[in-house]
Amino acid sequence: MEPSGTLDSLAQELRVFRPLPQLVVEANVNPQELTAYRRQAEHDPLGYWEEAADELDWYKKWDRVLDDSNAPFYRWFPGARCNIVYNCLDRHIETANKNKLALIWEGEPGDSRKFTYYELYREVNRFAGALRTLGVGKGDRVVIYMPPLPEAVIAMLACARIGAVHALVFAGFSAKALRSRIRDVDARLVVTADGFYRNGQIIKLKPIVDEALVGGCADCVDSVVVVHRAKVETDMQEGRDFWYDDVVRRERREAPAEVMEAGDPLFLLHTSGTTGAPKVVSHCHGGYMVGVNRTLNHVFDIKPTDIFWCTADLGWITGHSAVVYGPLLAGTTTLIYEGHPNYPQADRMWHIVSKYGVTIFYTAPTLIRMLMRFGPQYPRMHDLSTLRILGTVGEPIGPETWLWFYRHIGRGECPLLDTWWQTETGMFMISPLPISLLKPGSVTRALPGVAVDVVDREGNSVPEGKGGLLVVTKPWPAMMTGVYGEDGEAQYRQAFARFPGKYLAGDVAKRDEDGFLWIQGRADDVLNIAGHRLGTAELENAFRAHPAVAEAAVIGVPDKIKGEAAKAFIILNPGFAGTVELMVELQNHMRKELGPVAAIKSVEFRDELPRTKSGKILRRVLKSRETGEDPGDLSMLDDESEQAG
Ligand code: PRX
């Protein structure tokens, strides 16, 4: 066992990228201002966040910025009253933003719908009124089980407007998973669609809701509202099911926004559950909007002319903070796309970028890796010159993927911002700004007002060049306000229990000699090879540096001599065959890249890897199959056949 409880780091990344001078001149936050923000946030963090709160509208201001008397149950802006939707919509229709595009939607068949801020405001008011007519009120939970449609955004905002609490469930979840999620949050109403387009097919959704509601949930859910998207035949249960168009048609008047306490719940959301059963995290109106608004504006340098495209599904936290609430708080134009990224072929994303003149493109490494496999000829088919900032989130991107994205999509000119955050954090926590120095694969450093550290198992900061557990050492405004459900309080406390006063993120990270942070993977996935503790990201990134490798997942398997040894699961790029020679070549490649510690015991070539529905690799599924251990909760697994296998 290692004496210090730190993580070893084998990789060295020496490449550094600087922003173009013009970009620095035009940035909303220039280097001097960033330094000033950092200084202010360090000396007076509450003053820093108070100024951020002052940029938004409140019905009543706070008695104090933070009440930490019952830590770790922190209360941000106690005494304040607000509604996040007022700040997303009402505030903008008093300004020149009234007639600006708030939302652009592209359907998979190529159809398109656009909403100005005023039009979105009107639609949200109508559906908010309809929800009230259906008996939904403040504090009631509404499950939104929807594909990416404008009505999904409208439903989120309509719930929040009347103080109801939305809980989104990704439309790829099965009836069983939907049922347990409806139960987890005790939903009164479900909003869904008849169906939607995905990969050239119509996926019917309403029958899945019907199945989920048979037995079990029928007692809590009174109504189901169905959006007519795919125009497929749909069974409607009299008295329970309503067409969206019918319920909004009756609503003519504005639905006033409910005045909420800052800490009142805005939404519930299940975590992705890569390393265990998902938790139901809650976020509130006040602190959440302050944190999301400030960090999104800082990181993405929002300008009045931007078209902001975050490709995440609405059902994840990224969909909440970076598709809906963040962009609308910032008064920018947000874009959503209904369908498959490769439909009808591998240039669809780039086609959309050029069609609407997208300026900021924010996505996940998984998607980039998938598109990389098709080659750079697809982005080359389109004019991507409107792009000015790129971003990623969700998994370690690794240098190879970073460089491909930077060069082939960003022309080597657009800053590529790797943002680290979580469902629990609500807002971006660690990220560069467009003016920052970048190292491919590093999330750089914490944003102003966010305090993080990398610690060993005793809670001491690790020396430079070493890795350890990533912790957040001070409360932040968009932090989860709790975990919903019977064990919720215990689950919430657990995140702060190991090192009192510090939030344990569950990730491992390294800090290099320049103070840059590198996320190394989930702490539960760390390998222990002959006393060397290694994060999965380092090994997987090194694999990806080989031209044959499209995707890699590494797990630890028991080994008589070393205690644990690394086993790799590899997806190959087109044109490569999984031969014994290639396996040996990859083992040699790893030794060369990372040294003898990174000896790979075996390599298995695969066509697919088990993933969550949000695209993260589920290493515990691979591991359970190797070791016979119980894989735990599998409701988030993307391919149901993997469960059986
Ligand atoms: O492991 C980290 C990884 O995603 C986890 C959070 O997942 P979720 O709650 O689904 O939220 C994802 C979107 C905010 C983290 O604990 N993760 C997130 N961003 C990064 C990342 N890993 C490496 N680099 C990132 N930029």
Side-chain angles (χ1 to χ4, degrees):
M1 290 297 286
E2 78 299 342
S4 62
T6 59
L7 201 70
D8 284 322
S9 170
L10 308 173
Q12 279 281 344
E13 177 56 64
L14 301 172
R15 291 166 284 198
V16 171
F17 294 80
R18 287 169 206 286
L20 299 181
Q22 187 63 18
L23 196 142
V24 178
V25 170
E26 289 169 2
N28 294 348
V29 178
N30 67 32
Q32 294 76 28
E33 286 164 329
L34 180 58
T35 308
Y37 277 132
R38 285 198 192 286
R39 203 166 291 144
Q40 182 199 4
E42 206 164 295
H43 291 120
D44 179 16
L46 298 187
Y48 175 82
W49 288 116
E50 182 160 36
E51 271 181 26
D54 272 326
E55 288 169 7
L56 294 162
D57 283 0
W58 303 77
Y59 301 119
K60 176 181 171 287
K61 294 249 170 145
W62 41 94
D63 301 330
R64 52 205 285 210
V65 176
L66 176 67
D67 175 3
D68 58 1
S69 58
N70 188 29
F73 295 90
Y74 298 96
R75 289 175 62 219
W76 282 86
F77 308 107
R81 302 216 176 95
C82 61
N83 188 306
I84 192 169
V85 179
Y86 185 90
N87 282 284
C88 289
L89 297 176
D90 306 47
R91 189 170 56 114
H92 295 306
I93 63 166
E94 303 294 324
T95 71
N97 280 347
K98 180 176 178 183
N99 302 318
K100 172 180 175 169
L101 285 184
L103 176 66
I104 299 174
W105 172 82
E106 162 115 342
E108 195 185 74
D111 44 345
S112 169
R113 290 164 71 195
K114 294 177 181 173
F115 295 79
T116 63
Y117 270 90
Y118 183 70
E119 287 164 340
L120 188 61
Y121 168 82
R122 205 181 50 203
E123 292 305 311
V124 168
N125 269 279
R126 293 172 78 194
F127 193 49
L131 287 172
R132 279 192 176 130
T133 306
L134 288 167
V136 177
K138 187 172 176 175
D140 287 339
R141 270 86 50 208
V142 172
V143 160
I144 302 177
Y145 179 64
M146 293 265 270
L149 293 177
E151 285 78 7
V153 177
I154 292 166
M156 289 168 77
L157 296 167
C159 286
R161 187 165 188 85
I162 64 169
V165 180
H166 58 69
L168 274 92
V169 179
F170 173 58
F173 276 113
S174 65
K176 193 166 152 235
L178 173 63
R179 179 185 302 148
S180 70
R181 281 160 174 75
I182 291 174
R183 272 202 204 139
D184 285 346
V185 304
D186 306 308
R188 281 201 64 174
L189 186 138
V190 176
V191 189
T192 189
D194 56 351
F196 64 107
Y197 293 85
R198 183 89 186 165
N199 224 353
Q201 313 267 319
I202 289 183
I203 313 273
K204 286 189 183 179
L205 216 50
K206 174 65 169 38
I208 302 177
V209 175
D210 291 337
E211 192 186 332
L213 293 182
V214 171
C217 290
D219 44 344
C220 63
V221 173
D222 309 324
S223 325
V224 178
V225 176
V226 188
V227 175
H228 225 344
R229 159 62 181 150
K231 312 281 187 282
V232 284
E233 229 184 83
T234 305
D235 287 338
M236 298 291 276
Q237 188 177 310
E238 181 77 32
R240 187 196 71 180
D241 300 347
F242 304 90
W243 288 109
Y244 177 92
D245 292 338
D246 292 341
V247 295
V248 297
R249 192 177 307 129
R250 297 195 286 258
E251 304 296 327
R252 302 204 185 283
R253 265 172 296 162
E254 287 188 1
E258 194 78 30
V259 175
M260 306 296 285
E261 298 290 329
D264 279 343
L266 168 65
F267 63 82
L268 297 174
L269 193 58
H270 285 75
T271 55
S272 49
T274 35
T275 45
K279 294 197 292 271
V280 187
V281 162
S282 80
H283 280 285
C284 66
H285 277 252
Y288 175 78
M289 75 174 177
V290 172
V292 169
N293 185 51
R294 168 55 65 98
T295 55
L296 189 108
N297 270 297
H298 271 194
V299 169
F300 285 116
D301 188 49
I302 304 290
K303 308 269 197 249
T305 49
D306 277 322
I307 306 279
F308 187 96
W309 187 17
C310 166
T311 64
D313 188 87
L314 295 169
W316 319 124
I317 189 67
T318 320
H320 289 57
S321 304
V323 178
V324 179
Y325 290 112
L328 296 179
L329 285 168
T332 191
T333 304
T334 189
L335 191 150
I336 56 176
Y337 166 56
E338 176 184 41
H340 194 279
N342 293 340
Y343 184 83
Q345 59 166 14
D347 70 332
R348 185 60 184 268
M349 306 306 271
W350 320 127
H351 176 81
I352 295 174
V353 167
S354 64
K355 178 172 174 185
Y356 298 103
V358 170
T359 57
I360 304 173
F361 182 67
Y362 186 37
T363 191
T366 318
L367 183 81
I368 306 164
R369 275 184 212 125
M370 184 178 87
L371 297 173
M372 273 169 80
R373 289 175 75 189
F374 294 97
Q377 66 275 23
Y378 287 97
R380 265 191 231 126
M381 289 160 70
H382 298 279
D383 175 10
L384 304 182
S385 62
T386 52
L387 288 173
R388 61 180 200 93
I389 299 177
L390 305 177
T392 62
V393 60
E395 277 193 302
I397 181 167
E400 296 311 310
T401 314
W402 195 100
L403 287 166
W404 190 91
F405 194 30
Y406 183 74
R407 289 187 180 133
H408 294 290
I409 309 304
R411 315 177 299 278
E413 291 178 357
C414 304
L416 198 181
L417 313 174
D418 183 6
T419 60
W420 179 89
W421 54 300
Q422 305 178 305
T423 309
E424 294 89 332
T425 71
M427 66 185 207
F428 307 160
M429 301 291 277
I430 309 176
S431 171
L433 267 58
I435 56 168
S436 305
L437 210 70
L438 302 171
K439 297 189 188 184
S442 168
V443 290
T444 71
R445 53 190 87 226
L447 289 167
V450 176
V452 301
D453 199 1
V454 182
V455 299
D456 64 18
R457 293 211 219 146
E458 285 71 50
N460 307 308
S461 298
V462 301
E464 281 168 5
K466 282 277 182 188
L469 299 165
L470 181 64
V471 291
V472 186
T473 58
K474 283 192 188 128
W476 65 100
M479 63 197 303
M480 60 176 168
T481 45
V483 177
Y484 193 76
E486 249 173 52
D487 304 333
E489 190 176 321
Q491 286 180 7
Y492 179 91
R493 273 188 199 284
Q494 204 183 0
F496 294 87
R498 179 144 177 196
F499 308 116
K502 292 177 183 161
Y503 168 73
L504 185 67
D507 284 354
V508 285
K510 168 185 97 170
R511 196 191 339 249
D512 72 14
E513 47 295 339
D514 298 324
F516 278 53
L517 293 164
W518 302 75
I519 307 295
Q520 308 285 68
R522 295 292 295 170
D524 292 7
D525 293 331
V526 164
L527 284 79
N528 192 338
I529 304 175
H532 293 279
R533 297 178 73 239
L534 300 170
T536 48
E538 208 159 60
L539 296 161
E540 292 165 3
N541 290 340
F543 267 115
R544 292 185 199 116
H546 190 282
V549 176
E551 185 56 293
V554 175
I555 60 164
V557 290
D559 183 90
K560 282 207 188 79
I561 299 163
K562 298 177 178 172
E564 198 164 40
K567 168 157 189 181
F569 298 83
I570 302 289
I571 300 179
L572 292 173
N573 273 318
F576 290 90
T579 57
V580 177
E581 289 75 31
L582 182 58
M583 181 173 149
V584 173
E585 189 183 320
L586 287 173
Q587 285 169 321
N588 290 337
H589 161 83
M590 290 299 282
R591 207 164 287 132
K592 210 167 89 212
E593 287 278 308
L594 298 178
V597 176
I600 304 294
K601 187 173 181 176
S602 62
V603 174
E604 188 177 317
F605 298 107
R606 301 186 50 145
D607 296 330
E608 292 290 342
L609 291 170
R611 292 177 185 277
T612 63
K613 297 204 185 274
S614 57
K616 295 178 197 288
I617 298 172
L618 267 171
R619 293 174 192 79
R620 65 184 159 92
V621 171
L622 294 170
K623 189 151 179 162
S624 75
R625 240 178 265 145
E626 291 297 314
T627 60
E629 285 167 22
D630 177 11
D633 188 325
L634 291 179
S635 64
M636 70 297 295
L637 189 60
D638 195 31
D639 182 358
E640 313 268 333
S641 63
E642 287 277 359
Q643 284 185 42

